[in-house]
Tab-separated table of all heavy atoms in Angstrom:
chain	number	residue	atom	x	y	z
A	4	VAL	N	-21.197	98.713	-29.056
A	4	VAL	CA	-22.416	98.869	-28.307
A	4	VAL	C	-22.084	99.035	-26.831
A	4	VAL	O	-21.265	98.326	-26.270
A	4	VAL	CB	-23.376	97.592	-28.510
A	4	VAL	CG1	-24.622	97.746	-27.664
A	4	VAL	CG2	-23.771	97.394	-29.883
A	32	THR	N	-32.873	97.756	-35.301
A	32	THR	CA	-33.321	96.685	-34.378
A	32	THR	C	-32.371	96.478	-33.287
A	32	THR	O	-31.148	96.336	-33.516
A	32	THR	CB	-33.519	95.362	-34.989
A	32	THR	OG1	-34.370	95.647	-36.217
A	32	THR	CG2	-34.162	94.300	-34.127
A	34	PHE	N	-31.944	94.123	-29.446
A	34	PHE	CA	-32.568	92.959	-28.644
A	34	PHE	C	-32.015	93.039	-27.252
A	34	PHE	O	-30.960	93.486	-26.988
A	34	PHE	CB	-31.900	91.681	-29.369
A	34	PHE	CG	-32.113	91.587	-30.830
A	34	PHE	CD1	-31.111	91.932	-31.707
A	34	PHE	CD2	-33.332	91.233	-31.369
A	34	PHE	CE1	-31.283	91.843	-33.054
A	34	PHE	CE2	-33.501	91.104	-32.744
A	34	PHE	CZ	-32.511	91.435	-33.598
A	36	TYR	N	-31.535	90.674	-23.789
A	36	TYR	CA	-31.417	89.413	-23.375
A	36	TYR	C	-31.231	89.487	-21.695
A	36	TYR	O	-30.760	90.408	-21.208
A	36	TYR	CB	-30.175	88.660	-23.953
A	36	TYR	CG	-30.275	88.335	-25.320
A	36	TYR	CD1	-29.984	89.292	-26.290
A	36	TYR	CD2	-30.656	86.988	-25.821
A	36	TYR	CE1	-29.985	89.072	-27.625
A	36	TYR	CE2	-30.612	86.766	-27.144
A	36	TYR	CZ	-30.339	87.783	-28.162
A	36	TYR	OH	-30.383	87.408	-29.442
A	38	GLN	N	-29.650	86.924	-18.567
A	38	GLN	CA	-28.826	85.828	-18.296
A	38	GLN	C	-28.682	85.545	-16.765
A	38	GLN	O	-28.014	86.455	-16.115
A	38	GLN	CB	-27.392	85.975	-18.960
A	38	GLN	CG	-26.484	84.716	-18.818
A	38	GLN	CD	-25.240	84.862	-19.480
A	38	GLN	OE1	-24.733	85.982	-19.603
A	38	GLN	NE2	-24.622	83.744	-20.020
A	42	GLN	N	-26.407	80.205	-16.699
A	42	GLN	CA	-27.446	79.788	-17.653
A	42	GLN	C	-27.044	80.552	-18.986
A	42	GLN	O	-26.137	81.353	-19.040
A	42	GLN	CB	-28.724	80.238	-17.155
A	42	GLN	CG	-29.212	79.331	-15.961
A	42	GLN	CD	-30.624	79.616	-15.646
A	42	GLN	OE1	-31.489	79.955	-16.485
A	42	GLN	NE2	-31.038	79.315	-14.434
A	43	SER	N	-27.837	80.326	-19.953
A	43	SER	CA	-27.684	80.939	-21.239
A	43	SER	C	-28.384	82.296	-21.437
A	43	SER	O	-29.047	82.759	-20.440
A	43	SER	CB	-28.217	80.055	-22.386
A	43	SER	OG	-27.950	80.464	-23.602
A	44	LEU	N	-28.103	82.942	-22.407
A	44	LEU	CA	-28.743	84.194	-22.778
A	44	LEU	C	-30.276	83.915	-23.248
A	44	LEU	O	-30.327	83.183	-24.236
A	44	LEU	CB	-28.028	84.918	-23.799
A	44	LEU	CG	-26.688	85.642	-23.494
A	44	LEU	CD1	-25.548	84.683	-23.378
A	44	LEU	CD2	-26.432	86.783	-24.434
A	46	LEU	N	-33.568	85.422	-24.784
A	46	LEU	CA	-34.243	86.641	-25.429
A	46	LEU	C	-35.416	87.064	-24.653
A	46	LEU	O	-36.305	86.264	-24.366
A	46	LEU	CB	-34.470	86.254	-26.884
A	46	LEU	CG	-35.122	87.364	-27.749
A	46	LEU	CD1	-34.164	88.479	-27.913
A	46	LEU	CD2	-35.605	86.867	-29.085
A	49	THR	N	-37.484	92.062	-28.684
A	49	THR	CA	-36.960	92.748	-29.863
A	49	THR	C	-37.502	94.078	-30.028
A	49	THR	O	-38.735	94.225	-29.940
A	49	THR	CB	-37.270	91.876	-31.154
A	49	THR	OG1	-36.818	90.568	-31.044
A	49	THR	CG2	-36.751	92.605	-32.424
A	91	PHE	N	-28.187	89.381	-15.021
A	91	PHE	CA	-27.251	90.098	-16.019
A	91	PHE	C	-28.121	90.350	-17.237
A	91	PHE	O	-28.668	89.526	-17.962
A	91	PHE	CB	-26.147	89.213	-16.330
A	91	PHE	CG	-24.948	89.843	-16.974
A	91	PHE	CD1	-24.428	91.041	-16.515
A	91	PHE	CD2	-24.430	89.254	-18.032
A	91	PHE	CE1	-23.303	91.638	-17.069
A	91	PHE	CE2	-23.227	89.876	-18.627
A	91	PHE	CZ	-22.761	90.962	-18.200
A	93	ILE	N	-28.288	91.907	-20.946
A	93	ILE	CA	-27.345	92.296	-22.127
A	93	ILE	C	-28.300	92.701	-23.247
A	93	ILE	O	-29.156	92.045	-23.669
A	93	ILE	CB	-26.534	91.120	-22.554
A	93	ILE	CG1	-25.810	90.505	-21.267
A	93	ILE	CG2	-25.548	91.398	-23.625
A	93	ILE	CD1	-25.009	89.192	-21.617
A	97	ARG	N	-27.971	95.205	-34.160
A	97	ARG	CA	-27.482	94.635	-35.457
A	97	ARG	C	-27.653	95.813	-36.507
A	97	ARG	O	-28.708	96.380	-36.652
A	97	ARG	CB	-28.392	93.565	-35.860
A	97	ARG	CG	-27.988	92.784	-37.228
A	97	ARG	CD	-28.851	91.724	-37.585
A	97	ARG	NE	-28.659	91.382	-38.924
A	97	ARG	CZ	-29.535	90.672	-39.620
A	97	ARG	NH1	-30.703	90.383	-39.121
A	97	ARG	NH2	-29.279	90.332	-40.916
A	102	ASP	N	-24.862	90.167	-40.932
A	102	ASP	CA	-25.511	89.196	-40.019
A	102	ASP	C	-25.184	89.315	-38.602
A	102	ASP	O	-25.978	89.015	-37.738
A	102	ASP	CB	-25.121	87.741	-40.522
A	102	ASP	CG	-25.764	87.326	-41.757
A	102	ASP	OD1	-26.913	87.580	-41.925
A	102	ASP	OD2	-25.072	86.646	-42.557
A	103	GLU	N	-24.077	89.848	-38.321
A	103	GLU	CA	-23.523	89.825	-36.957
A	103	GLU	C	-24.350	90.687	-36.011
A	103	GLU	O	-24.651	91.834	-36.473
A	103	GLU	CB	-22.068	90.116	-36.931
A	103	GLU	CG	-21.383	90.012	-35.494
A	103	GLU	CD	-19.875	90.239	-35.587
A	103	GLU	OE1	-19.288	90.264	-36.710
A	103	GLU	OE2	-19.309	90.320	-34.468
A	104	GLN	N	-24.526	90.284	-34.808
A	104	GLN	CA	-25.127	91.086	-33.743
A	104	GLN	C	-24.022	91.410	-32.823
A	104	GLN	O	-23.214	90.602	-32.440
A	104	GLN	CB	-26.148	90.193	-32.973
A	104	GLN	CG	-27.593	90.508	-33.364
A	104	GLN	CD	-28.531	89.540	-32.611
A	104	GLN	OE1	-29.282	88.761	-33.176
A	104	GLN	NE2	-28.553	89.535	-31.215
A	106	PHE	N	-22.911	92.816	-29.129
A	106	PHE	CA	-23.430	92.882	-27.820
A	106	PHE	C	-22.813	94.000	-26.989
A	106	PHE	O	-21.726	94.343	-27.015
A	106	PHE	CB	-23.140	91.525	-27.126
A	106	PHE	CG	-23.942	90.430	-27.716
A	106	PHE	CD1	-23.616	89.671	-28.797
A	106	PHE	CD2	-25.158	90.080	-27.034
A	106	PHE	CE1	-24.358	88.690	-29.405
A	106	PHE	CE2	-25.925	89.122	-27.638
A	106	PHE	CZ	-25.513	88.346	-28.717
A	107	GLY	N	-23.703	94.582	-26.062
A	107	GLY	CA	-23.192	95.462	-25.089
A	107	GLY	C	-22.447	94.759	-23.951
A	107	GLY	O	-22.477	93.460	-23.918
A	108	PRO	N	-21.837	95.457	-23.088
A	108	PRO	CA	-21.117	94.784	-22.030
A	108	PRO	C	-21.942	94.165	-20.828
A	108	PRO	O	-21.469	93.510	-20.028
A	108	PRO	CB	-20.169	95.862	-21.493
A	108	PRO	CG	-20.905	97.148	-21.740
A	108	PRO	CD	-21.716	96.846	-23.092
A	111	ARG	N	-25.307	94.345	-14.520
A	111	ARG	CA	-25.655	93.474	-13.513
A	111	ARG	C	-26.525	94.117	-12.539
A	111	ARG	O	-26.335	95.179	-11.968
A	111	ARG	CB	-24.365	93.188	-12.732
A	111	ARG	CG	-24.613	92.262	-11.449
A	111	ARG	CD	-24.837	90.811	-11.723
A	111	ARG	NE	-23.781	90.268	-12.601
A	111	ARG	CZ	-23.803	89.104	-13.182
A	111	ARG	NH1	-25.064	88.404	-13.110
A	111	ARG	NH2	-22.923	88.641	-13.858
B	32	TYR	N	-27.943	81.614	-40.304
B	32	TYR	CA	-26.770	82.170	-39.682
B	32	TYR	C	-26.392	81.507	-38.380
B	32	TYR	O	-27.357	81.482	-37.538
B	32	TYR	CB	-26.940	83.671	-39.538
B	32	TYR	CG	-25.816	84.381	-38.910
B	32	TYR	CD1	-24.482	84.361	-39.449
B	32	TYR	CD2	-25.945	85.116	-37.672
B	32	TYR	CE1	-23.411	85.049	-38.930
B	32	TYR	CE2	-24.886	85.714	-37.035
B	32	TYR	CZ	-23.685	85.660	-37.701
B	32	TYR	OH	-22.620	86.343	-37.144
B	36	TYR	N	-20.024	81.864	-29.759
B	36	TYR	CA	-19.508	82.819	-28.861
B	36	TYR	C	-18.705	82.184	-27.712
B	36	TYR	O	-19.052	81.086	-27.286
B	36	TYR	CB	-20.694	83.644	-28.268
B	36	TYR	CG	-21.391	84.512	-29.346
B	36	TYR	CD1	-22.368	84.039	-30.062
B	36	TYR	CD2	-20.909	85.841	-29.568
B	36	TYR	CE1	-22.993	84.846	-31.021
B	36	TYR	CE2	-21.603	86.633	-30.471
B	36	TYR	CZ	-22.555	86.076	-31.209
B	36	TYR	OH	-23.256	86.885	-32.139
B	38	GLN	N	-17.807	83.219	-23.861
B	38	GLN	CA	-18.014	84.177	-22.781
B	38	GLN	C	-17.252	83.895	-21.521
B	38	GLN	O	-17.308	82.707	-20.929
B	38	GLN	CB	-19.577	84.163	-22.376
B	38	GLN	CG	-20.000	85.250	-21.553
B	38	GLN	CD	-21.585	85.206	-21.207
B	38	GLN	OE1	-22.045	84.186	-21.142
B	38	GLN	NE2	-22.078	86.332	-20.928
B	41	GLY	N	-19.010	87.288	-16.320
B	41	GLY	CA	-19.316	88.686	-16.106
B	41	GLY	C	-19.057	89.506	-17.371
B	41	GLY	O	-19.179	90.711	-17.287
B	42	LYS	N	-18.673	88.879	-18.451
B	42	LYS	CA	-18.423	89.715	-19.686
B	42	LYS	C	-19.530	89.440	-20.733
B	42	LYS	O	-20.140	88.508	-20.658
B	42	LYS	CB	-17.040	89.277	-20.166
B	42	LYS	CG	-15.874	89.583	-19.212
B	42	LYS	CD	-15.611	90.932	-19.090
B	42	LYS	CE	-14.376	91.242	-18.113
B	42	LYS	NZ	-13.186	90.603	-18.558
B	43	ARG	N	-19.286	90.196	-21.710
B	43	ARG	CA	-20.252	90.024	-22.884
B	43	ARG	C	-19.763	88.883	-23.799
B	43	ARG	O	-18.625	88.422	-23.663
B	43	ARG	CB	-20.281	91.316	-23.818
B	43	ARG	CG	-19.072	91.497	-24.663
B	43	ARG	CD	-19.084	92.790	-25.364
B	43	ARG	NE	-18.542	93.862	-24.577
B	43	ARG	CZ	-18.668	95.208	-24.939
B	43	ARG	NH1	-19.309	95.577	-25.968
B	43	ARG	NH2	-18.047	96.105	-24.249
B	44	PRO	N	-20.656	88.206	-24.470
B	44	PRO	CA	-20.295	87.139	-25.348
B	44	PRO	C	-19.413	87.702	-26.496
B	44	PRO	O	-19.573	88.822	-27.016
B	44	PRO	CB	-21.629	86.676	-25.946
B	44	PRO	CG	-22.609	87.162	-25.084
B	44	PRO	CD	-22.059	88.455	-24.543
B	46	LEU	N	-17.830	86.971	-30.187
B	46	LEU	CA	-17.923	86.128	-31.372
B	46	LEU	C	-16.549	85.548	-31.757
B	46	LEU	O	-15.597	86.256	-31.869
B	46	LEU	CB	-18.434	86.963	-32.626
B	46	LEU	CG	-18.482	86.149	-33.934
B	46	LEU	CD1	-19.624	85.283	-33.867
B	46	LEU	CD2	-18.704	87.241	-35.031
B	51	ARG	N	-22.525	80.654	-42.387
B	51	ARG	CA	-23.678	80.972	-43.039
B	51	ARG	C	-24.255	79.737	-43.781
B	51	ARG	O	-23.409	78.834	-44.079
B	51	ARG	CB	-23.653	82.171	-43.982
B	51	ARG	CG	-23.528	83.443	-43.192
B	51	ARG	CD	-23.037	84.662	-43.990
B	51	ARG	NE	-22.850	85.744	-43.181
B	51	ARG	CZ	-21.922	85.991	-42.346
B	51	ARG	NH1	-20.890	85.210	-42.235
B	51	ARG	NH2	-21.812	87.094	-41.598
B	89	PHE	N	-21.086	79.240	-26.423
B	89	PHE	CA	-22.459	79.229	-26.722
B	89	PHE	C	-22.572	79.177	-28.282
B	89	PHE	O	-21.883	79.867	-29.002
B	89	PHE	CB	-23.186	80.441	-26.377
B	89	PHE	CG	-23.372	80.563	-24.922
B	89	PHE	CD1	-22.510	81.362	-24.090
B	89	PHE	CD2	-24.399	80.003	-24.207
B	89	PHE	CE1	-22.726	81.564	-22.687
B	89	PHE	CE2	-24.610	79.958	-22.784
B	89	PHE	CZ	-23.650	80.831	-22.110
B	93	ARG	N	-29.948	81.954	-36.141
B	93	ARG	CA	-30.967	83.011	-36.429
B	93	ARG	C	-31.747	82.580	-37.652
B	93	ARG	O	-31.104	82.066	-38.649
B	93	ARG	CB	-30.335	84.311	-36.642
B	93	ARG	CG	-31.404	85.371	-36.806
B	93	ARG	CD	-30.843	86.744	-36.985
B	93	ARG	NE	-30.015	86.790	-38.222
B	93	ARG	CZ	-28.791	87.359	-38.246
B	93	ARG	NH1	-28.279	87.872	-37.195
B	93	ARG	NH2	-28.224	87.433	-39.301
B	96	ALA	N	-34.425	87.196	-41.544
B	96	ALA	CA	-33.687	88.419	-41.417
B	96	ALA	C	-34.415	89.351	-40.500
B	96	ALA	O	-35.579	89.473	-40.464
B	96	ALA	CB	-33.597	89.119	-42.807
B	97	GLY	N	-33.570	89.982	-39.557
B	97	GLY	CA	-34.180	90.873	-38.625
B	97	GLY	C	-34.549	90.232	-37.337
B	97	GLY	O	-34.814	90.990	-36.315
B	98	THR	N	-34.566	88.903	-37.220
B	98	THR	CA	-34.938	88.243	-36.006
B	98	THR	C	-33.661	88.075	-35.139
B	98	THR	O	-32.530	88.189	-35.553
B	98	THR	CB	-35.520	86.840	-36.211
B	98	THR	OG1	-34.620	86.078	-36.984
B	98	THR	CG2	-36.856	87.062	-37.002
B	99	ALA	N	-33.924	87.757	-33.898
B	99	ALA	CA	-32.760	87.696	-32.894
B	99	ALA	C	-32.109	86.343	-32.935
B	99	ALA	O	-32.616	85.269	-33.399
B	99	ALA	CB	-33.228	87.940	-31.528
B	100	LEU	N	-30.873	86.352	-32.435
B	100	LEU	CA	-30.099	85.144	-32.295
B	100	LEU	C	-30.745	84.336	-31.044
B	100	LEU	O	-31.053	84.902	-30.039
B	100	LEU	CB	-28.715	85.381	-31.924
B	100	LEU	CG	-27.754	85.864	-33.118
B	100	LEU	CD1	-26.454	86.334	-32.616
B	100	LEU	CD2	-27.649	84.838	-34.127
B	101	ILE	N	-30.943	83.094	-31.179
B	101	ILE	CA	-31.332	82.188	-30.238
B	101	ILE	C	-30.134	81.291	-29.780
B	101	ILE	O	-29.526	80.663	-30.666
B	101	ILE	CB	-32.568	81.328	-30.677
B	101	ILE	CG1	-33.698	82.192	-31.091
B	101	ILE	CG2	-33.068	80.341	-29.503
B	101	ILE	CD1	-34.241	83.101	-30.039
B	102	PHE	N	-29.902	81.240	-28.502
B	102	PHE	CA	-28.731	80.526	-28.011
B	102	PHE	C	-29.057	79.224	-27.470
B	102	PHE	O	-29.962	78.844	-26.908
B	102	PHE	CB	-28.137	81.436	-26.867
B	102	PHE	CG	-27.475	82.669	-27.330
B	102	PHE	CD1	-28.183	83.859	-27.652
B	102	PHE	CD2	-26.111	82.698	-27.495
B	102	PHE	CE1	-27.633	84.981	-28.149
B	102	PHE	CE2	-25.527	83.864	-27.896
B	102	PHE	CZ	-26.180	84.977	-28.263
B	103	GLY	N	-27.934	78.304	-27.616
B	103	GLY	CA	-27.947	77.114	-26.884
B	103	GLY	C	-27.624	77.297	-25.445
B	103	GLY	O	-27.327	78.432	-25.037
B	104	LYS	N	-27.631	76.262	-24.664
B	104	LYS	CA	-27.446	76.427	-23.163
B	104	LYS	C	-26.010	76.579	-22.764
B	104	LYS	O	-25.845	76.922	-21.560
B	104	LYS	CB	-28.057	75.218	-22.450
B	104	LYS	CG	-29.677	75.201	-22.593
B	104	LYS	CD	-30.243	74.196	-21.658
B	104	LYS	CE	-31.781	74.080	-21.856
B	104	LYS	NZ	-32.397	75.359	-21.505
Side-chain angles (χ1 to χ4, degrees):
Chain A
V4 177
T32 305
F34 308 98
Y36 293 84
Q38 186 176 31
Q42 294 189 24
S43 185
L44 285 80
L46 179 67
T49 299
F91 193 49
I93 307 176
R97 185 183 166 198
D102 286 319
E103 188 171 348
Q104 258 177 239
F106 288 87
R111 174 77 56 193
Chain B
Y32 177 62
Y36 292 88
Q38 188 182 32
K42 301 286 183 65
R43 78 184 89 193
L46 177 70
R51 290 162 181 78
F89 292 99
R93 187 178 63 229
T98 59
L100 289 172
I101 302 301
F102 286 81
K104 291 190 182 301

